[in-house]
Amino acid sequence: MNPCIRIKRLRSATVIGAALLSLTSPLVRGATAPAATVPELFAGELEDVGPQFLLLAAPRFLRFELWTDLEITGTSNATLVESGLKASTITSAQFGGTWHLAERSFAGGRLAFETGFKFQTYRYGLLAGPKEKINFLEIDRNNFDLAGAHLQIGWRRNSWRAGLAFRGVSLRNRGNHRVFYEELATEWQVARQWHANPRRTWMLGLDGAARWSNTDSFGLLPNSWNSRIEQGLFAVLDQLLGARWRLQPALRVQGSRYLHRDRHRSDFHTSGRVNLVHPLGTAAELRLGIGYDRRTSSELMIADFHKWDLGLAGSARWRF
């Protein structure tokens, strides 16, 4: 698989997840909405650092947390090709840590800072068979690891939320132990929420990123070939079902413009997700999700792909 395809898979999964995280965390939801936890789905778009709990009396500020997440996904298009789609499984395991700074007043709202790290590994065909051949290659040749760090600033005022994040990411192929992609990014998000009733909350927002990249193409292309600007629009619903279950559908559209002077590429990407989430005690949760992605590109050599995903995941967090 082209290394850039793996980058696209990461982005399509992380953007909607960040919106879901923003919608259900107390930073966005406010004290009147039911408490909930939401795991990382889509590295993004703001860093998936997990929800925080509103403490009811004389709280001890929880400055550090460790988290882990495991997801098994069946996908209809494992290598993101335009034709000849082949199904397989992708297993993602990740863990990380986040340091939170105490909130402070700013511009009539509340300002919060955090920094953190994450490690993530992707295994293709682990359940379907790692030596399964897709496009004449064993699927496990696409296995890769990710290491990243971020600094994030969040602001809230009444129903408005905004965030700015600075992130560094490195992707390493498991087969040849070669770093094939590195990225420094600035990401932003502005959103507004509406409480339809105590059990239902809507959010509508804009997000985007500027990504300065270094892609290893064995000298065939310039290192900055995949540097780009992205801008998206998302809508998310959080619906409480019964006493514990949460239904979280989300839609997103994104446009990307590549920046290298010798490149004239623009992409349009649409994504949809529906997640069903259930807490397991106070520090863990289980989620089941289904999603659809479609991308079209103005560059003839880039595949216009579509795919369906069905995933089962669990996550846990520990705060200190």
Side-chain angles (χ1 to χ4, degrees):
M1 187 199 310
N2 188 317
C4 304
I5 290 178
R6 297 176 225 176
I7 301 163
K8 285 298 181 183
R9 180 180 298 284
L10 288 173
R11 295 299 304 159
S12 67
T14 61
V15 174
I16 290 181
L20 291 172
L21 172 67
S22 300
L23 180 61
T24 55
S25 69
L27 180 66
V28 175
R29 193 181 59 244
T32 60
T37 58
V38 175
E40 182 177 65
L41 302 178
F42 85 70
E45 330 301 102
L46 300 177
E47 182 69 11
D48 220 347
V49 297
Q52 304 170 45
F53 292 100
L54 292 178
L55 305 182
L56 299 180
R60 175 178 66 88
F61 185 68
L62 304 178
R63 295 187 177 273
F64 181 68
E65 69 176 0
L66 290 173
W67 56 268
T68 185
D69 188 273
L70 175 65
E71 182 168 7
I72 302 172
T73 302
T75 178
S76 65
N77 188 357
T79 51
L80 306 185
V81 294
E82 189 166 344
S83 60
L85 282 62
K86 297 292 185 181
S88 189
T89 60
I90 302 172
T91 303
S92 169
Q94 55 185 311
F95 76 93
T98 307
W99 289 267
H100 301 274
L101 301 178
E103 293 185 8
R104 61 194 67 185
S105 298
F106 179 78
R110 300 293 293 172
L111 195 66
F113 299 84
E114 68 178 48
T115 185
F117 66 90
K118 67 177 288 186
F119 298 98
Q120 189 169 10
T121 184
Y122 280 79
R123 297 291 182 269
Y124 285 70
L126 194 61
L127 299 182
K131 296 305 178 182
E132 174 191 8
K133 288 189 177 181
I134 297 181
N135 300 333
F136 307 104
L137 293 174
E138 292 86 357
I139 189 64
D140 62 353
R141 292 194 181 187
N142 295 295
N143 293 347
F144 68 98
D145 297 332
L146 178 152
H150 78 280
L151 171 66
Q152 180 175 302
I153 306 169
W155 178 82
R156 73 179 191 272
R157 180 179 178 181
N158 300 323
S159 296
W160 287 96
R161 302 295 180 266
L164 179 67
F166 305 94
R167 191 183 319 282
V169 172
S170 175
L171 277 62
R172 180 186 297 271
N173 184 274
R174 293 282 298 183
N176 57 23
H177 303 288
R178 189 183 184 99
V179 174
F180 62 86
Y181 182 82
E182 296 173 299
E183 175 183 283
L184 292 175
T186 301
E187 302 173 350
W188 57 86
Q189 183 182 91
V190 178
R192 192 183 190 281
Q193 66 170 10
W194 292 266
H195 296 295
N197 56 56
R199 300 171 63 87
R200 182 182 303 161
T201 303
W202 289 89
M203 175 176 283
L204 182 66
L206 295 169
D207 58 19
R211 304 187 183 280
W212 296 272
S213 66
N214 179 19
T215 303
D216 181 11
S217 62
F218 299 94
L220 298 177
L221 296 170
N223 290 340
S224 60
W225 194 244
N226 288 305
S227 297
R228 60 200 183 276
I229 296 289
E230 300 171 348
Q231 189 62 59
L233 171 67
F234 65 87
V236 186
L237 168 66
D238 180 67
Q239 174 69 55
L240 183 63
L241 302 177
R244 303 280 282 174
W245 290 92
R246 309 190 74 88
L247 182 67
Q248 297 170 335
L251 293 172
R252 186 174 189 271
V253 295
Q254 175 188 287
S256 302
R257 176 67 177 175
Y258 285 71
L259 302 176
H260 194 275
R261 64 180 180 274
D262 295 328
R263 198 170 201 189
H264 306 284
R265 175 183 173 183
S266 298
D267 290 359
F268 186 74
H269 195 156
T270 58
S271 302
R273 295 283 185 276
V274 178
N275 292 311
L276 191 61
V277 183
H278 188 273
L280 302 174
T282 59
E285 69 182 18
L286 180 71
R287 70 181 185 271
L288 177 66
I290 185 172
Y292 178 77
D293 290 86
R294 176 179 290 274
R295 183 192 67 190
T296 58
S297 178
S298 64
E299 199 167 273
L300 295 179
M301 298 301 294
I302 301 300
D304 297 336
F305 74 84
H306 66 92
K307 67 182 179 77
W308 285 93
D309 294 329
L310 179 64
L312 177 66
S315 64
R317 300 179 183 273
W318 303 269
R319 295 171 174 84
F320 305 94

